[in-house]
Every structure is written in C-alpha cells, then in structure tokens.
Amino acid sequence: MPSTSFPVPSKFPLSSPAAVCGRGETLGPAPPAGGTMKSAEEEHYSYVSTNLSPGLPLPTAHPSLPAPCHDMQASAPGISAVAPAGHPSGYGAAVDGGPSGYFVSSGHGRPNGAQTLESPRIEITSYLGLHHHSSQFFHDVEVEDVLPSSARPPSTATLHLPSLEAYRDPSCLSPASSLSSRSCNSEASSYESSYSYPCASPQTSPWQSPCVSPKTTDPEEGFPRGLGACSLLGSPRHSPSTSPRTSITEESWLGARTSRPSSPNNKRKYGLNGRQLSCSPHHSPTLSPHSSPRVSVTDDTWLGNTTQYTSSAIVAAINALSTDSSLDLGEGVPIKARKTALDHSPSVALKVEPAGEDLGTTPPSSDFPPEEFPPFQHIRKGTFCDQYLSVPQHPYPWARPRSPTSYASPSLPALDWQLPSHSGPYELRIEVQPKSHHRAHYETEGSRGAVKASAGGHPSVQLHGYLESEPLTLQLFIGTADDRLLRPHAFYQVHRITGKTVSTTSHEAVLSSTKVLEIPLLPENSMRAIIDCAGILKLRNSDIELRKGETDIGRKNTRVRLVFRVHIPQPSGRTLSLQVASNPIECSQRSAQELPLVEKQSVASCPVLGGKRMVLSGHNFLQDSKVIFVEKAPDGHHIWEMEAKTDRDLCKPNSLVVEIPPFRNQRITSPVQVSFYVCNGKRKRSQCQPFTYLPANVPIIKTEPTDDYEPALTCGPMSQGLSPQPKPCCGQQLAPPPDPGACLPAGFSPCPQRSAMMSPPPSASPKLHDLSPAPYSKGMASPGHSPLGLQRPAGGVLAGPEMPRSVGVLPGSPQQPPPTLLQPQVSPQLSGRRPPGGQPALGPHSPSSAPPSGTQEPTCLQSRSPTRPPGMGHQQHQPPKVPEKESAAARPLPLPEVREDSNQGLAPTPVSVKREPQELDQLYLDDVNEIIRNDLSSTNTHS
DNA sequence: CGACTGGAAGTACAG
DNA sequence: GTCTGTACTTCCAGT
C-alpha cells in the first residue's frame, strides 16, 4: 500500500514514522513533494483508502520511516512491518503508539496487537490509531499485545471505567482546567497519551519484544486506527482544504451546531458525529479516542487535586525513573491519577497534562471529515472511558519501559511528549522563525494563507548533523504556547496549504486528533524544509470545549507554536525523535492588532540589583506601554510587581527599551525566575516573558546543592548538554531555549533562565543517548528520570502541564542549580545569547528561540524547578526560597537594599535554599507540594 | 476563479 | 438581572 500511495516515499521515506504509520498519507504520500495541494489531497485520499485497507502494506511501504522506528523497536525489518501492524492495532497503537513506539521497539505485540484490538482495547486503539496513525503507535499497540496480560487487563478495566465523561465533563467544564488550552487536551497528546500509554503500557518495552514483526497483525486494526488517523488526516477530507467545509460536516453531525452558542450538545455532535465516522469502521470506532479519557482523567487529576496529581505524577515519574520497574506507580496513584498517569505512563508524569489532549483529539475532528470523527466520537463516548482507564494500567507498565527506552524506542512519542531539539550529532533547528502574528482562519472562512516569517518569506527548519542519504519526514503540528508543557493545541490545527505559491510538498496526517503536516526532509536540501505549506485553522471554542475530555478553554487561548518533529532511525534500530517549537504565534485578529507582543528580549537574566537595559522586540509597542515585572507565587498570586522604566524616546512599535528594575529581594542566593509583560492598557497585555534575577554575587554556594538541582535549574543547560534527561525535556523544547525569550509565551517565563541555560546546552548535543531514554520520559519518563536524578525531569515533567502547580516544588530546587548555571550562563545570556529572544546567536535563528518555547515547556519543567515556570515556576521557586515571607515584604519592596543584601543575603540564604531543593528533589513531590502549600499559604497570608 | 487578506458586523460571554 | 466591554465567529469585499 504505502508504496503505492507514496510515490514519493523515496523522498518521504521518512514519512515520519508516526505520520507514516498513521496515515497512509504519510506513508505515501507524500506525494511527491511536488504535488500540489489538490493532488496531495487526492493522494491522501487515495492513500487513505489504500492505507486503510492495506493497512499493513502501508507500514511496509513506509518502511523507510516506519521501519526505522519500528526497527528500533525490534528488528528493523520487522519494524516496518510491525509498524503497520501497529497501526492497525491501531488505535491503540496510536495511543500507545506514541509512547509505545518509543518504548517498544518492535511490534512484538502487534500482530497480537491486532488481536488485542479485538479486546476492549481495541476500541481504544482505534481511536488512537485513527488519530495517531503513526506507525509508532502501532508499535505501541503491538506492545500491548505483547503485554497483553498486563496491559489488557487494564484495558478491560478501562472499559469498565464508567464514565469518563464524568471526568471529562468536569474537566472540560471546569474552567480551571481550562486555563490555557487544555493542557491535556491536546488531542493528540491526550489521546495518544492515553491511548498510547495504554498501549504502551505494554510497557514492556516494545523493543523487547522485538519481534513483533507481525505488526502486520493488525494492519486492519492498525490501519483503521492508523489509517484512521492517517486517513483522517491524510484523507482528502482532512486535507487542509477541508477545514472550511468541515464545518459542514460538523453541522451535519451536530445538526446545527450553532456555533458558539451551541450547547454542550454541540460538543457532542462534534465529537461523536464527526470524526469518528471515518475511522469508525475500521477502528473500532468504539473508542473515541479523545474521549479524552485522558482529559478527564487528567483534568480531574490536575484540577481536582493538584496535590494528588502531583503526587501521582511524581510517583509516576519516579517509577519511570526507576525504570521500568515497575509499575507500581500506577498502583500507588489514585485512580484518577492513574488515569492521568496512565497516559503518561511513560511519560506519565509529564503527560498528565496532556491528558487534556485527548480532547484535542476530538477537536481536530472538526477539521476532519465528519465521517472519521464520528467513529471516534463513538469510541470516545463509549469506550473512552474505557480506554482511558485502560491506559492507566498500561501506562505504568509501559511507562517504565519507556523511560528506559526513551526516544530510541521504536514507536513514536505522543505529540504531547516533550522531546529535545538536539541529541548527539543531531539538532533540529528552526532557522527562520514564523511571524509572531498569524490570523488563523475558521472553517467557515477560506484559508488565510501559510504562516510567514517576520522578515518575509516563510519559516524554515533544518536538521543538522544528519549525514545519511535517507530522507526523513518532518512533522509539523500546532502546539500550545502557554507556560505548561508543550502539547498539541486543542483549538488550532495545522492547515495544509497547497497551490502555486507552495513549493514544499506535504501531506496531512492525523494523530490523536491532531493534524500533523508531514514534510519531507531531503539530504539534497541539506535536510532543510521551507514551511510555506502550513496555515493555521481555528476551531470553534464551543466545539472543542464541549468535548468530553477537553479541559482547556479556548477563550483568550490564542497563541500557538509551530512544533516540528523529526524521527531519525538509529543503527540500533531505535528511532531518535527530536522536536523543536517555534516562537509563539498570536492567532487572533484582535490581538494581532492591539495586543503588544514580545518576540525577543535582549536579556534573559540580570543581577537582583537591576539597572540593566533590556531591549524588547516585538509588536504593538507604544510610548505608553508599560513593562511590568512580576513574581508569582505558586498559587498564581503576584508576590511582587514592579514597573520597569521605559525609554520613551527609544520606543518604537517594534522595539522597546526598558531598564530592568531591582528585584524585591536582593539577597537571593539562587536565581529567581520572574516574568514581565508589556501592557498597553487594561486588557492589552503581552504574554509574560520569563526573566531571571541572579544573586548579586554568589554563585558558588549553590553549586553544591545545585548539582542535583542544577540539572533542573540548569535544565536549560542541562537539557542541552547536561543530563540526558533534562535534555530531552528541555532538549526539544529547551534546546531551542536559546531563544527562550521568543518562545516564552508568557508562561515560559521560566525560560529566560532556561533559555539562557539552554543556549549553552545547545552545544550539548550528546544528550541523545542519555536523553533518549529520558526523552521519552521526557514526556513522561523524563519526569521520572528527572525526579530521580535530577529533579528537573521530574519537575519538568511534572511541571508539564499540570505539574506546574504541584511541580512548583521542584522549582525550588532548580533555583539553586540555576545559580550555578545561571551565573555563568547569565553572563552569557546577558551578553549575548541571552537575549532571551535568542535573538542574536540564536536569534534569528529563531531556531533556537523556537526551541526555547518548545523547549521551554520542557524546560519549564526542568527549568521550573530551576527557573520556575513563569507561573508555577515562580511559585515553586519562591516557596522554596521562602520568598513568600519576603514576598509579602517583597512586593512592596524593591530594592535599594539590594546590593548589600544581595551580597550578604546571598550567602546565607543560599544555603537554606539549596538544601531545600535538593531534598525536595529526592524527597518527594508530595513533600514538596506540602512545602509549597505552606509557603503559599504563608505567602498568601502575608500578602 | 480561487486563494488571501483586511475589516468589521453580529453574537456570546465575562465581569 | 442588566449593562458594558471583550472576545469569538462569520461575512464581506478588495487584491
């Protein structure tokens, strides 16, 4: 099949594993690069169809990509085959796929998987599969199969879980969850995670079961899933073009969704009707992928109990770290947690948030052909819960495996996993960053064109260090740009642009309800791709929010990042997955016109004394624009706010010069992550940008403590170079860090440091190896890892989406580390890189910058601890720091004392701080959480 | 003619 | 419960 479908394959061989798997498209697809959109679409369709039926074939065909991945899993050959199988299994696979893929190398189970599918899981898989389509998923699936025993049970269990909805609903509804985009939501991720996890659960590492070959197994199933996904994506319908029409579909489904107004029903329609259909047949529609089980879970978990969540997450992470070992985690964790965890299993911790993603999955549907959706929906509803449930179980098992495996694993990581941007000799960089504003189009509108670069032209991405002659597939999807971990955006989907003006071949695939654009990376082009074929589609908030799993809210959640992934087959048979995220892109019409936007900052960190000048570049700056520095408590309260002096004379629409205000606490011993934003008036604020205050002097002290933490803190750095794990996390996202600034959406604030950190890291490429393992974890595993060794990961992971809160704790530790790193870095940053914006060095390259954002998340995680994520991070850090007390004081204060204090204070303070962090790290998240809480409460009290 | 765009009217929602 | 300001979607029209 694939082969047929893809004439292109040669070029696309890559078809990224995931993509490939997913959809026939991928596989094939890629129609010759050249193909115009239409053609492409057609191809997709054809592919899809083919894929579907042939399911297996595709995989096979794709072998190139898939194979690698798969290979990774088990034997190469098998892999390819497997992959297909995986798909089949599909759904599940998909789900797992992500994870599993990585984890598992081979499809051992696949064949089985297929069978497996039959079991309850199948349903799940289907969803996944559909969405995921990626081969990886398949792998996962396979794994599951293999694992069957363990996994399945879960699955079964899952099924039983009654009402996912309950979870979902709550979550969905719960605004809380919503905050940003649903973290969880991201369809892909969520689904994937959920599903995948489950599949993954197979924990068993897929690899282990190498054989799998059979992947073939479920081709059908797999296909369906995969296909589903792929097809969906790939299918013509999916075709970008579809989007607009999609609405129609939706309508049909929904009947009349009134768009916004629509009641919840609409949601349902959405989910149910639409999407699933197409998939359904094959997949088992039963599942609704999205169903979000995850979401619900996640949401619940998160929302419900941050604490628990954290704990569970932590546990998960730990487990992961610990390794495979055990699954225990799952056990320990509360059910809900499990669910969440489940997803993540591997990455569980990380994923937690992703859960939301599940939702995402669904949402995408809108875009997708109704047909497809419907099936999914069904699945979701009915199965969803089940799936989710199942997931948990699996996750645990899987998770462990995964962690170890890390990237390498055959299967592809779920879209919500945090991956490094560079590993070993490879580095995925965004050479040209996209413009900070791009008005997304609704389905009811025509396309608004491809995302462009700020300097004209289009964004470009290049894979450095790849010397093989095999082309690879670059995956592109729309990710979130909030402070939480990077994940597929529930309210936006990438839209494939075709036409005379488009020079880059691409085809759509759908993974976990997240549209993924697959673009060939050819050696002849230096593994560089110009992204002139990617537009951004906005899904109606009402449609997405109605989804069961959805927890994120769409209102004001209009910033996205382009997330690029590449899966590089390794000699070992594993697949190395790298990811980099672009700078945030504001997608609303209004925002683009009125809201100030900070794209870059010349400085990412500065001594507490302040006084340094920082140049901000961006948009919509006014002479009256104010730059406010804020330090937030874990609970989000502003511990300290300080307006920076701006140089009106130097103020330009695109640049603003500000004098960094002194930090409220001059004594800090470790870097403190704060954030700042540009305010043009009432509700016209830019997102928060991360910024780090460094101890006036002192760096050394921390060092000690830091080590442990540093990683975290350092994450930035680490991510890149240091610890493998961290790297992964940061890596992908982080790696970019260089630009942190860029990335930073508000949330990222932490990044600054990170970014700073990050930049250095870049050098650290080597990580991969380590990372690899971590990577996966990254999502989940890493967390685990981090937890273990470094906190970062944990932090990072945790931090991830939800984590933040819980994570908060971590941050503390990070802080210390940061110092170490920070200082050194700091200078640098300040001097050059730092330009948070990543401008200079990274600068334009946005590449780095992009990463930052992407990285950020990861970073955040990592950094959080260290840096603290903007929101959480700070909080976290603060708590540890104790600032709280200060905070109270601090708020008001700003400064003068600083110098002296700083010096003096530093020494003393540092010590304490450091200790905490360290302890925290190892201690346990729970403890940390408690601490944080205490701090917060104290803080609140003070405040 | 169709893809892009920029603008803006109308509606929904939050405070 | 009402009012007002925003934000979100959908339309229109020009290029």
Side-chain angles (χ1 to χ4, degrees):
Chain A
M1 302 290 299
S3 59
T4 53
S5 56
F6 293 73
V8 180
S10 56
K11 295 179 180 180
F12 288 17
L14 326 176
S15 49
S16 54
V20 173
C21 302
R23 31 191 69 335
E25 293 178 351
T26 5
L27 301 179
T36 57
M37 295 188 63
K38 293 179 180 178
S39 62
E41 293 177 354
E42 293 176 354
E43 292 175 354
H44 293 297
Y45 294 85
S46 61
Y47 293 117
V48 174
S49 61
T50 51
N51 294 336
L52 297 177
S53 11
L56 297 179
L58 294 178
T60 324
H62 298 299
S64 61
L65 294 178
C69 301
H70 300 295
D71 294 345
M72 304 287 304
Q73 298 172 348
S75 51
I79 296 169
S80 56
V82 174
H87 289 291
S89 33
Y91 320 146
V95 173
D96 309 351
S100 59
Y102 294 93
F103 308 110
V104 179
S105 51
S106 51
H108 45 312
R110 297 180 183 179
N112 301 339
Q115 296 173 350
T116 311
L117 296 177
E118 295 176 355
S119 61
R121 282 197 172 180
I122 296 173
E123 295 175 352
I124 295 169
T125 20
S126 59
Y127 272 79
L128 297 177
L130 296 178
H131 303 295
H132 302 298
H133 60 321
S134 53
S135 52
Q136 296 175 346
F137 296 91
F138 294 39
H139 296 295
D140 295 350
V141 174
E142 293 175 354
V143 174
E144 292 177 351
D145 295 347
V146 175
L147 301 179
S149 60
S150 64
R152 291 180 182 178
S155 60
T156 307
T158 310
L159 296 177
H160 297 299
L161 297 185
S163 40
L164 294 181
E165 294 181 354
Y167 296 99
R168 298 174 183 175
D169 295 351
S171 59
C172 299
L173 301 181
S174 63
S177 59
S178 61
L179 297 183
S180 43
S181 44
R182 54 171 77 258
S183 44
C184 326
N185 339 317
S186 31
E187 302 168 353
S189 54
S190 50
Y191 293 100
E192 293 176 353
S193 50
S194 358
Y195 298 93
S196 52
Y197 298 122
C199 300
S201 47
Q203 25 187 266
T204 49
S205 44
W207 323 28
Q208 300 174 349
S209 48
C211 315
V212 187
S213 51
K215 329 161 154 252
T216 58
T217 45
D218 316 28
E220 295 175 355
E221 293 176 351
F223 281 100
R225 298 175 184 176
L227 294 179
C230 300
S231 60
L232 294 179
L233 300 180
S235 62
R237 304 168 182 177
H238 301 299
S239 60
S241 52
T242 40
S243 53
R245 289 283 124 219
T246 320
S247 53
I248 296 172
T249 7
E250 294 174 353
E251 294 175 353
S252 42
W253 304 347
L254 300 182
R257 72 171 111 196
T258 35
S259 39
R260 322 172 185 140
S262 58
S263 56
N265 297 336
N266 295 339
K267 291 182 178 180
R268 252 321 83 211
K269 296 175 180 179
Y270 217 85
L272 300 179
N273 302 331
R275 324 291 172 87
Q276 313 246 340
L277 299 182
S278 55
C279 305
S280 51
H282 304 298
H283 317 321
S284 49
T286 37
L287 319 179
S288 46
H290 338 350
S291 37
S292 45
R294 253 197 180 183
V295 175
S296 56
V297 173
T298 324
D299 295 348
D300 294 350
T301 315
W302 304 357
L303 299 178
N305 331 331
T306 319
T307 315
Q308 293 178 343
Y309 172 68
T310 312
S311 307
S312 61
I314 296 171
V315 176
I318 296 172
N319 295 338
L321 295 179
S322 53
T323 30
D324 351 1
S325 54
S326 50
L327 318 175
D328 313 355
L329 298 179
E331 298 173 355
V333 181
I335 297 173
K336 290 183 178 179
R338 290 183 182 180
K339 293 178 180 178
T340 316
L342 297 181
D343 330 357
H344 323 316
S345 34
S347 38
V348 175
L350 300 181
K351 297 235 159 166
V352 176
E353 295 176 350
E357 296 178 355
D358 298 353
L359 300 179
T361 342
T362 320
S365 57
S366 58
D367 296 1
F368 310 134
E371 309 148 9
E372 295 174 353
F373 297 126
F376 293 101
Q377 294 175 345
H378 295 296
I379 297 170
R380 295 177 182 177
K381 291 179 178 179
T383 317
F384 251 179
C385 301
D386 298 348
Q387 294 177 343
Y388 288 102
L389 297 177
S390 59
V391 172
Q393 297 176 344
H394 297 288
Y396 298 91
W398 300 352
R400 298 172 186 173
R402 295 178 182 177
S403 305
T405 18
S406 67
Y407 297 123
S409 65
S411 56
L412 301 178
L415 298 181
D416 54 351
W417 286 33
Q418 309 304 305
L419 303 174
S421 62
H422 64 275
S423 175
Y426 310 109
E427 179 175 8
L428 181 61
R429 286 199 312 210
I430 296 176
E431 301 296 336
V432 178
Q433 288 283 340
K435 288 174 57 176
S436 56
H437 288 104
H438 175 81
R439 182 173 161 179
H441 64 271
Y442 284 82
E443 295 178 335
T444 53
E445 297 182 305
S447 168
R448 287 189 175 277
V451 174
K452 300 174 182 61
S454 53
H458 297 276
S460 69
V461 177
Q462 184 170 10
L463 173 62
H464 296 271
Y466 180 78
L467 305 177
E468 304 300 320
S469 60
E470 285 295 311
L472 297 177
T473 295
L474 177 69
Q475 294 183 308
L476 163 61
F477 63 90
I478 303 300
T480 57
D482 55 29
D483 4 357
R484 297 197 277 180
L485 294 181
L486 175 65
R487 57 195 180 286
H489 205 299
F491 301 89
Y492 292 90
Q493 293 286 323
V494 64
H495 177 259
R496 177 164 164 266
I497 303 292
T498 57
K500 299 175 181 178
T501 60
V502 177
S503 62
T504 303
T505 304
S506 67
H507 65 277
E508 290 182 328
V510 176
L511 294 181
S512 337
S513 69
T514 295
K515 278 190 179 180
V516 176
L517 214 53
E518 296 180 332
I519 301 164
L521 276 181
L522 310 176
E524 51 264 46
N525 292 338
S526 301
M527 299 306 285
R528 178 175 181 173
I530 294 176
I531 314 302
D532 61 357
C533 55
I536 301 175
L537 171 68
K538 174 67 170 64
L539 301 177
R540 284 189 297 272
N541 293 337
S542 60
D543 290 338
I544 303 306
E545 293 171 350
L546 294 177
R547 296 178 184 173
K548 290 182 179 179
E550 218 10 272
T551 53
D552 286 351
I553 53 175
R555 191 176 176 82
K556 292 187 176 181
N557 184 0
T558 57
R559 293 194 186 185
V560 309
R561 283 182 289 176
L562 298 182
V563 183
F564 299 93
R565 279 190 175 187
V566 64
H567 304 283
I568 309 168
Q570 300 294 301
S572 63
R574 292 184 178 185
T575 297
L576 171 64
S577 297
L578 299 180
Q579 171 178 299
V580 67
S582 71
N583 293 337
I585 301 171
E586 173 55 56
C587 296
S588 67
Q589 174 185 19
R590 174 174 172 279
S591 299
Q593 303 174 335
E594 306 174 4
L595 299 178
L597 177 75
V598 177
E599 294 182 316
K600 296 179 181 178
Q601 59 191 80
S602 62
V603 178
S605 62
C606 165
V608 291
L609 297 177
K612 277 194 174 185
R613 282 201 165 192
M614 175 169 68
V615 178
L616 303 179
S617 57
H619 299 282
N620 300 326
F621 293 147
L622 307 173
Q623 285 198 327
D624 292 336
S625 293
K626 294 180 180 179
V627 177
I628 311 296
F629 280 73
V630 301
E631 179 183 11
K632 297 176 184 177
D635 62 356
H637 285 79
H638 284 196
I639 296 174
W640 170 74
E641 285 190 4
M642 179 63 114
E643 179 179 342
K645 294 178 182 178
T646 58
D647 188 332
R648 294 194 175 189
D649 296 336
L650 297 178
C651 178
K652 297 177 182 178
N654 296 319
S655 67
L656 195 59
V657 177
V658 303
E659 181 180 315
I660 298 169
F663 185 57
R664 65 179 172 86
N665 178 3
Q666 300 290 311
R667 299 178 180 180
I668 60 171
T669 53
S670 58
V672 174
Q673 178 86 45
V674 300
S675 59
F676 69 85
Y677 60 85
V678 176
C679 179
N680 284 351
K682 262 191 184 176
R683 298 186 179 182
K684 298 179 180 178
R685 297 181 173 183
S686 67
Q687 284 196 313
C688 288
Q689 303 296 315
F691 186 83
T692 303
Y693 274 110
L694 304 174
N697 297 321
V698 191
I700 301 173
I701 298 171
K702 293 189 172 181
T703 321
E704 298 174 352
T706 314
D707 296 349
D708 297 345
Y709 296 68
E710 285 182 348
L713 296 181
T714 333
C715 284
M718 301 234 0
S719 57
Q720 294 177 342
L722 303 178
S723 61
Q725 295 176 342
K727 295 176 181 179
C729 301
C730 300
Q732 111 173 78
Q733 298 175 341
L734 297 182
D739 295 353
C743 301
L744 312 178
F748 300 92
S749 46
C751 300
Q753 296 175 344
R754 298 176 186 173
S755 53
M757 316 289 291
M758 309 278 311
S759 29
S763 58
S765 47
K767 309 170 179 180
L768 291 184
H769 302 302
D770 298 350
L771 297 179
S772 351
Y776 283 151
S777 0
K778 111 182 152 151
M780 326 222 45
S782 52
H785 296 300
S786 52
L788 297 180
L790 307 179
Q791 297 171 340
R792 315 177 178 169
V797 175
L798 296 179
E802 302 170 350
M803 310 322 313
R805 300 171 183 175
S806 56
V807 174
V809 176
L810 298 177
S813 54
Q815 294 175 344
Q816 295 177 346
T820 329
L821 298 176
L822 295 178
Q823 294 176 344
Q825 293 177 343
V826 173
S827 334
Q829 293 177 342
L830 296 178
S831 61
R833 304 176 179 176
R834 257 7 15 250
Q839 348 160 301
L842 302 181
H845 334 10
S846 32
S848 54
S849 53
S853 45
T855 31
Q856 292 177 343
E857 294 179 352
T859 322
C860 295
L861 296 180
Q862 297 174 346
S863 61
R864 288 180 181 178
S865 16
T867 27
R868 334 170 162 171
M872 305 185 56
H874 298 295
Q875 298 174 348
Q876 295 176 345
H877 291 290
Q878 296 174 346
K881 294 178 179 179
V882 179
E884 295 175 352
K885 296 176 180 179
E886 295 176 353
S887 65
R891 295 180 180 176
L893 325 170
L895 33 146
E897 303 172 351
V898 178
R899 295 178 184 176
E900 297 176 352
D901 294 351
S902 62
N903 295 340
Q904 298 174 343
L906 294 178
T909 308
V911 177
S912 61
V913 174
K914 293 179 180 179
R915 294 176 183 176
E916 292 179 355
Q918 293 177 342
E919 294 178 354
L920 292 176
D921 292 350
Q922 294 178 344
L923 288 182
Y924 304 90
L925 297 179
D926 294 345
D927 293 346
V928 175
N929 291 335
E930 291 180 357
I931 296 171
I932 295 172
R933 291 180 181 177
N934 295 332
D935 293 343
L936 295 177
S937 8
S938 63
T939 304
N940 293 339
T941 307
H942 295 293
S943 60

